[in-house]
Amino acid sequence: MAHSNMSYLISRPGLPVLAQWAVSFAVLVTKWSLRHCTRARLQHLSDAQLKDIGVSRQDAHYEATLPFWRP
């Protein structure tokens, strides 16, 4: 739902260019923050939890060490 709201805000024809840029920047920073937090939490999952989500310890370590800007 939040994604559709952001798409609406960005695509509105009456939105000034600076506001479009600000919304796009806020969306990008939010994605980076979520990615950073998710990757940090991945490192702390137990082997049983990783098994439940189908991720190996090696894959979890690799994903957790990626920089926040890389998808």
Side-chain angles (χ1 to χ4, degrees), residues 30-46:
T30 301
K31 284 181 185 180
W32 284 350
S33 177
L34 180 61
R35 199 176 289 156
H36 172 75
C37 291
T38 303
R39 287 177 176 165
R41 290 179 182 155
L42 189 59
Q43 285 184 304
H44 301 291
L45 294 179
S46 69

